[in-house]
Amino acid sequence: MPGSTDTSTESIGARIREFRLIRDYSLSELGRRAHVSTSQLSRIETGERYPSEPIIASVARALGVGVSVLRGQPYIQALQKDQLDALLTPISTSFDDWDIPPDDGPPARPLETLEAETAQLVQLRVKAEFLQIAERLPGLISEAAIATQVQAPPGHRRERAHDLQAEVSRTAAIVAYRLGYMDLARLALSRMAVAAPQSGDPRQVAIERYERAQMAADNSRLDRGISLMRHALRDLDDDGDRATRAVRGTLQLRAAVLSARDGDDGAAGDWLGEAAELAGETGETRDYALAFGPLNVRLHQIAAAGDRDEHAEALDHALRVSLPDDYPPTRAAHYWIDRARAEAWTAQHDAALDSLRAAREASSQLTRYHHSAHETVATLLRARQRADERLREFAAWCGV
């Protein structure tokens, strides 16, 4: 409930109902504001139906709250159990050193050392090892800020320092977003937005906009997120470099997902088509810790179909996917989570639980804090009069 310490055990429908009552809206009034039928809202509130992503965005906008609030994020009890909640405040505090280094702080380590440590954090990020990242981030954020100030005059080393600062800020933003701390995620991205243009790398500028579009979506500003992708594509020239083209393709995929959530299936299909064409030219890439290629296009097709409630289509796409053994763990976990959602809503409940367990094996911490995993578990619990031991264990593990 709003104001309580933990809402992860409530369904999204229950949270919608509570905010509706706080706003003193009737079902019909909320339906009018969100452009959703009264009967559909009633089924969502009672848990008979899970809302599609476009409906969640519309209802959140009508209620004046973020999408993450309706999902019950952050999952406080799970964070406390993992001792992650205590690590987030030092990350936020470290951004205070952005332009004025602490008087009693030690000098920053050599730029090369900081770059090597940042690369290690990026690898931990790909594995969603949030605890290890959160422990190391505060000091690295402060050192990255100092590094940008001691590199003078302007030149390649100063650009490297700003590139380092942009990547560290991006890591903080991704961790905060995954854990449901949207204000911290926005703060980190605001720092990245300052550093990226000074890095000498236009791809970093585009990636900052890519990450910021996710924040716009949480605020139910899907149109703003799509606009960010258009601007990023306009400003990032296709220079023929494989990494540049991979970043451009990643922008197209984000635009596709946001368009699908905005209910514009035609635009989503167009974006996916452009990304698929580009992926055919680049092949599989992993530049900037972005897995772009034909496989990731297929994974976005699964997500887009699920977001618009086309779960049979999503499952059809999912069943034709074969993940390589070395595929990035976070992307693999996303695949299994999206597949589980499709299986749950096509009444393949045992298969859905198997997919959730595969997601946990691929990336435990990402799965534990992923809103779609939580909602799929809740769906499976509602579908059974008595949950079996495997489902009860999984539900207890992720806090549902």
Side-chain angles (χ1 to χ4, degrees):
M1 295 185 297
S4 68
T5 59
D6 183 51
T7 58
S8 62
T9 57
E10 294 181 352
S11 71
I12 193 169
R15 288 187 286 272
I16 288 172
R17 182 177 186 277
E18 184 149 8
F19 278 102
R20 176 174 65 78
L21 295 176
I22 289 172
R23 301 288 188 264
D24 197 25
Y25 293 159
S26 65
L27 271 172
S28 59
E29 174 65 10
L30 179 57
R32 183 185 66 80
R33 291 171 177 265
H35 307 289
V36 180
S37 72
T38 302
S39 60
Q40 193 171 19
L41 269 177
S42 178
R43 291 196 300 274
I44 289 169
E45 287 192 359
T46 58
E48 297 175 35
R49 173 173 179 171
Y50 182 74
S52 65
E53 292 294 335
I55 289 177
I56 294 174
S58 295
V59 171
R61 186 163 51 244
L63 291 171
V65 299
V67 170
S68 59
V69 172
L70 291 186
R71 288 172 173 156
Q73 296 171 291
Y75 306 128
I76 299 297
Q77 289 184 354
L79 286 164
Q80 291 172 338
K81 187 174 182 180
D82 291 345
Q83 299 182 338
L84 274 164
D85 60 318
L87 296 173
L88 292 169
T89 297
I91 294 173
S92 179
T93 302
S94 66
F95 281 117
D96 293 339
D97 300 334
W98 187 257
D99 55 351
I100 303 176
D103 293 334
D104 56 351
R109 290 171 291 171
L111 183 59
E112 292 75 12
T113 302
L114 297 180
E115 287 174 330
E117 184 165 340
T118 299
Q120 292 174 10
L121 253 63
V122 170
Q123 291 306 308
L124 291 172
R125 192 179 79 208
V126 170
K127 299 176 182 177
E129 295 290 350
F130 299 140
L131 180 60
Q132 294 185 56
I133 295 171
E135 288 174 335
R136 296 166 64 176
L137 260 178
L140 193 53
I141 291 170
S142 297
E143 285 191 279
I146 296 170
T148 63
Q149 296 162 33
V150 301
Q151 300 298 330
H156 180 57
R157 287 187 65 82
R158 190 170 181 180
E159 287 182 342
R160 284 170 56 192
H162 281 291
D163 184 76
L164 166 74
Q165 194 176 41
E167 197 59 54
V168 170
S169 300
R170 179 188 174 201
T171 298
I174 290 173
V175 170
Y177 174 80
R178 291 295 177 203
L179 298 179
Y181 283 79
M182 301 304 170
D183 288 344
L184 176 55
R186 292 185 184 95
L187 172 62
L189 279 181
S190 72
R191 299 300 194 236
M192 184 181 181
V194 174
Q198 301 179 69
S199 70
D201 185 353
R203 291 176 290 217
Q204 281 284 25
V205 176
I207 291 170
E208 183 275 327
R209 292 177 176 178
Y210 166 82
E211 302 292 356
R212 196 180 351 149
Q214 194 68 53
M215 298 297 103
D218 181 73
N219 278 338
S220 304
R221 289 295 311 277
L222 296 164
D223 58 334
R224 176 60 176 164
I226 296 166
S227 178
L228 278 167
M229 296 302 87
R230 292 187 187 280
H231 281 275
L233 285 163
R234 180 198 65 195
D235 295 341
L236 182 62
D237 293 332
D238 186 353
D239 56 8
D241 185 273
R242 190 166 179 251
T244 300
R245 307 196 87 188
V247 172
R248 287 179 58 84
T250 300
L251 298 172
Q252 292 166 346
L253 289 178
R254 175 135 293 175
V257 169
L258 295 178
S259 295
R261 292 180 181 178
D262 203 28
D264 192 343
D265 295 344
D270 291 342
W271 285 115
L272 281 170
E274 290 182 34
E277 182 177 347
L278 193 54
E281 298 171 3
T282 64
E284 299 294 340
T285 69
R286 299 185 186 178
D287 301 286
Y288 296 88
L290 299 169
F292 177 74
L295 177 53
N296 203 18
V297 172
R298 177 59 60 85
L299 299 188
H300 279 75
Q301 290 173 332
I302 299 168
D307 285 350
R308 60 175 186 268
D309 264 351
E310 298 290 345
H311 299 297
E313 178 186 337
L315 185 56
D316 180 61
H317 285 304
L319 292 175
R320 286 185 278 153
V321 166
S322 178
L323 296 178
D325 292 338
D326 65 342
Y327 205 58
T330 51
R331 292 306 310 151
H334 275 114
Y335 161 74
W336 288 112
I337 291 169
D338 286 338
R339 175 168 169 168
R341 176 177 63 171
E343 289 166 335
W345 286 98
T346 53
Q348 300 183 47
H349 300 151
D350 289 340
L353 181 55
D354 288 342
S355 292
L356 287 173
R357 290 164 66 90
R360 180 169 64 179
E361 183 175 346
S363 180
S364 174
Q365 290 188 20
L366 183 141
T367 304
R368 181 172 169 84
Y369 294 103
H370 199 288
H371 64 86
S372 186
H374 278 237
E375 292 298 338
T376 298
V377 170
T379 298
L380 295 177
L381 289 170
R382 290 194 298 269
R384 303 182 181 189
Q385 290 185 343
R386 178 174 173 77
D388 63 25
E389 183 178 348
R390 289 198 319 149
L391 179 55
R392 290 199 305 271
E393 179 274 330
F394 196 95
W397 171 76
C398 67
V400 176

